[in-house]
Amino acid sequence: MLPDKSKGFMTFKRELAENRSPEERIRDFKEFVNSLPPEKLQQQAYRCMDCGVPFCHSGCPLGNQIPDFNDRVKDGDWAGALEILHSTNNFPEFTGRVCPAPCESSCVLGIIEPAVAIEMIEREIGDRGWAEGRIVPEPPEHRTGKRVAVIGSGPAGLAAAQQLNRAGHTVVVYERDDEPGGLLMYGIPNFKLDKEVVRRRVGQLREEGVDFRCDSEIGRNVPTSELDQYDAVLVAVGSTKPRTFEGMNIPGSELNGIHPAMDFLTQQTRRLLGKPIEGPEITATNKRVVVIGGGDTGSDCVGTAIRQGCKSVTNIELFPRPPANRAADNPWPQWDFILRTSSSHREAGGGDCREWSINTREFVDDGKGNVRALRAVRVDWSGDASGRRVMSEVPDSEMRIECDLVLLAMGFTQPETDTFVSDMELELSKNRFGLGIKAGLNYATSRPNVFVAGDARRGQSLVVWAIHEGREAARAVDLHLMGYSDLPTINSFGYDTLRPVEG
């Protein structure tokens, strides 16, 4: 018998489904996360304290009404939970798979116990909605006569397209790749996000009336002037220019075998889908691999390299190893900057392949123009008089790491600007990682009737933030076109939609 709802957190401990074993999952690219039985999922929902002030709202960029959908799951009302979740999140089956769950860092229960398993419950709500036929096309009852072009079909573009279409506008999505999804389709490995999960959502949008035009890159094979026929344009192209060693005077950085991480990940996804690969083939099979960069993309490269049959893989990071627990200057309910070990890192020989505080100095040539090693040095990060961290080399710490393939997973600096961005003379501005397309009030760019959302504006970020921006920008476009908007706003949950992104 389930307990009183107010005491579930005192009765049940946090429990997640046991994933497929590393020994099994590294032999394929299938998703490795499993589900709990329904009664176990209800128990996990019972752990939600239904707080008077639910700080999980402040942790979620979408303002998901987490206690509300947990309450429905407690009662076995999965249809009601889905309705609540869909009111703020267009794609819970995406975020339930790839979001790092900042909501869980803000969970009140997390102060004294492991947080509520919000991400797992969210994924289950979405997956059950599909399995039980509750997620169906919802085309608008009336059309406004307004036409909107969305450039890019990643999470921001998809969310914006669905919201704008449901508001009654005719929406055309331009995607330069051969099918929609952007980062979701080609940037995230299949073992974390199966591509059929993406395709079924795109299918729903198509049936709702969204027109997807693939292999269509504005400013390249589609003239920028084609956008003149639309009442509004929303740019959601992401931040896709990778950070490399270009301009950093690192000897050997031009050698063969050194590639941006996204080129490597995209090729592997295209292989799995039976699609042709453009450019030189990048594979880790029988190679000693070094991945430079310690974020999600670096982890994805590690898991992919292992599945391809690499000889070895080492993941090096410039910054220091995070602490095991919250630091004094990182209190709850902030996102906890602590050491996290991904599933891919656990797959690396049953241990961890990461090395911290390492700065690359040089790549070594094998005499034929190929990389065969890198030379690096350990660094120390100490605070200066102003409290800022300053990097200094550790004396006598030079090292050599043998490698045949180097994957650069050091993040992204800005959207590509040599196409329509240049043609339309869109202004850029600084953000946390480099440059983005400048947005003023309500996501409006420097050009009339042109808006921007997602990583193209705020810099590289999470899928959940991209969905947030897509939804908010869609409302801004709707308001611009109609003078009013019935689309919901996350601001009702206390968010400043255009919070500063500089710095």
Side-chain angles (χ1 to χ4, degrees), residues 48-338:
C48 180
M49 300 169 69
D50 195 15
C51 308
V53 181
F55 280 85
C56 52
H57 283 185
S58 69
C60 176
L62 287 168
N64 285 340
Q65 300 171 62
I66 295 163
D68 296 46
F69 70 64
N70 275 330
D71 192 59
R72 297 298 181 93
V73 172
K74 291 173 187 176
D75 294 335
D77 181 8
W78 292 91
L82 179 65
E83 183 178 0
I84 291 169
L85 186 49
H86 264 163
S87 71
T88 55
N89 185 354
N90 298 66
F91 316 123
E93 70 274 24
F94 298 165
T95 52
R97 284 169 165 79
V98 300
C99 183
C103 53
E104 294 186 15
S105 291
S106 300
C107 175
V108 173
L109 180 58
I111 300 174
I112 57 170
E113 294 280 349
V116 175
I118 301 168
E119 183 184 20
M120 178 183 68
I121 294 170
E122 184 173 308
R123 184 186 73 243
E124 290 291 336
I125 293 171
D127 285 353
R128 279 173 171 266
W130 284 104
E132 296 172 3
R134 295 195 181 99
I135 300 177
V136 296
E138 299 178 32
E141 294 183 3
H142 306 285
R143 289 290 177 183
T144 64
K146 303 291 187 180
R147 289 168 52 81
V148 182
V150 176
I151 308 175
S153 67
L158 290 177
Q162 186 166 59
Q163 294 295 97
L164 287 164
N165 183 73
R166 289 180 174 177
H169 307 305
T170 298
V171 179
V172 177
V173 178
Y174 291 89
E175 170 55 55
R176 68 178 179 178
D177 284 326
D178 58 356
E179 66 177 296
L183 169 81
L184 301 167
M185 178 57 66
Y186 288 120
I188 299 174
N190 208 72
F191 56 81
K192 287 173 63 176
L193 177 62
D194 189 281
K195 302 315 157 193
E196 292 307 313
V197 174
V198 180
R199 284 171 167 169
R200 70 186 178 188
R201 252 321 164 175
V202 171
Q204 181 200 27
L205 268 68
R206 279 198 170 106
E207 291 186 52
E208 291 177 348
V210 176
D211 179 5
F212 288 95
R213 299 182 185 178
C214 297
D215 294 313
S216 299
E217 186 167 9
I218 304 293
R220 292 266 170 87
N221 64 343
V222 177
T224 304
S225 59
E226 184 167 317
L227 299 176
D228 295 341
Q229 65 182 288
Y230 296 96
D231 297 289
V233 175
L234 176 60
V235 179
V237 294
S239 179
T240 53
K241 188 172 182 180
R243 181 175 284 107
T244 65
F245 288 110
E246 182 179 357
M248 296 175 63
N249 298 318
I250 305 294
S253 58
E254 77 290 343
L255 291 173
N256 296 324
I258 303 175
H259 303 277
M262 202 54 63
D263 293 353
F264 172 68
L265 296 174
T266 296
Q267 282 197 6
Q268 179 54 39
T269 297
R270 293 188 69 86
R271 271 189 213 98
L272 285 175
L273 298 177
K275 297 183 177 183
I277 292 172
E278 299 178 358
E281 186 171 17
I282 309 169
T283 178
T285 306
N286 295 322
K287 292 179 181 176
R288 299 162 297 178
V289 180
V290 171
V291 179
I292 302 179
D296 287 341
T297 302
S299 168
D300 292 345
C301 287
V302 169
T304 300
I306 291 170
R307 284 163 175 77
Q308 288 185 356
C310 62
K311 282 184 179 178
S312 64
V313 60
T314 304
N315 190 184
I316 62 176
E317 168 61 64
L318 178 64
F319 295 106
R321 182 186 182 97
N325 301 299
R326 286 184 184 271
D329 60 353
N330 178 210
W332 177 90
Q334 294 177 358
W335 168 258
D336 48 340
F337 291 95
I338 61 173

Side-chain angles (χ1 to χ4, degrees), residues 15-20 31-42 44 78 96-97 119-128 131 200:
E15 182 180 359
L16 301 178
E18 186 175 345
N19 296 334
R20 295 169 60 209
E31 286 190 1
F32 58 82
V33 176
N34 291 320
S35 300
L36 288 174
E39 63 275 12
K40 290 282 189 179
L41 290 167
Q42 280 187 267
Q44 291 306 300
W78 292 91
R97 284 169 165 79
E119 183 184 20
M120 178 183 68
I121 294 170
E122 184 173 308
R123 184 186 73 243
E124 290 291 336
I125 293 171
D127 285 353
R128 279 173 171 266
R200 70 186 178 188

Side-chain angles (χ1 to χ4, degrees), residues 243 412-414 429-436 459 503:
R243 181 175 284 107
F412 301 88
T413 60
Q414 64 179 70
S429 62
K430 290 184 178 180
N431 56 39
R432 297 167 298 165
F433 300 101
L435 293 174

Side-chain angles (χ1 to χ4, degrees), residues 329 382-390:
D329 60 353
S382 301
D384 63 10
S386 65
R388 295 181 304 173
R389 291 192 304 178
V390 178

